[in-house]
Amino acid sequence: MAAAPAYRRVPLSDDTSAATSRSRPERLIDKLYAILWIVAALLVGKWTNFIPVLMSDDRVIKPLLYAAASCIGINSVFLGYLSFYLPRVKGITDSSAWDVYCPRVVPAMTLFGVISSILLLRATWPVWGFLAPLILAIESFGCLFTLHFVPWF
């Protein structure tokens, strides 16, 4: 089986359907990578007792954990606004219109994402030490790649 090409030619026209269409093996490879990240996150979560440690370990700095969870919650609200409210209620389906309609949402999401990452890292540092960034990165990638299996209508 030949490896998927790492380079894809840039289209010469504005027709994006040809640029975004992918072959079936490329889509399967993407799904396989997603499954591998999810399995890695599950294994690391089981090995570190991730959820019980976050919920009940006294070494976790709880105010920082709650602040990180609040930032993640704010990001979730912004994501719902961009993904569901604007397309379904306002009829804005093109993401390039976000810069005109709500120009501060994406920078705010970036800021809250960085802040939540730093706070979560600092909150769990007493538990896992130098492994905390690696553990949190694997868990984050596992959560992110679960979106590969959410159906889009």
Side-chain angles (χ1 to χ4, degrees), residues 36-76:
L36 290 175
W37 275 110
I38 293 168
V39 168
L42 289 172
L43 290 174
V44 168
K46 180 121 174 94
W47 175 63
T48 60
N49 292 330
F50 189 75
I51 300 296
V53 165
L54 287 181
M55 294 297 165
S56 62
D57 197 326
D58 292 334
R59 296 174 292 176
V60 174
I61 303 171
K62 296 293 184 185
L64 294 179
L65 181 67
Y66 297 151
S70 299
C71 289
I72 292 170
I74 291 169
N75 255 356
S76 299

Side-chain angles (χ1 to χ4, degrees), residues 8-30:
R8 195 170 294 126
R9 201 173 269 279
V10 177
L12 299 176
S13 67
D14 288 336
D15 182 24
T16 58
S17 63
T20 58
S21 65
R22 302 183 60 159
S23 68
R24 185 171 176 86
E26 288 175 328
R27 289 192 312 254
L28 288 175
I29 288 173
D30 286 346

Side-chain angles (χ1 to χ4, degrees), residues 6 10 24 30 41 48 76 90 100 108 113 125 130 133 135 144-145 150:
V10 177
R24 185 171 176 86
D30 286 346
T48 60
S76 299
K90 294 293 185 180
V100 176
W125 189 270
F130 286 106
I135 292 168
L144 178 70
F145 280 108
V150 174

Side-chain angles (χ1 to χ4, degrees), residues 128-147:
W128 295 305
F130 286 106
L131 290 177
L134 180 65
I135 292 168
L136 293 175
I138 291 172
E139 293 298 319
S140 298
F141 278 127
C143 290
L144 178 70
F145 280 108
T146 58
L147 295 176

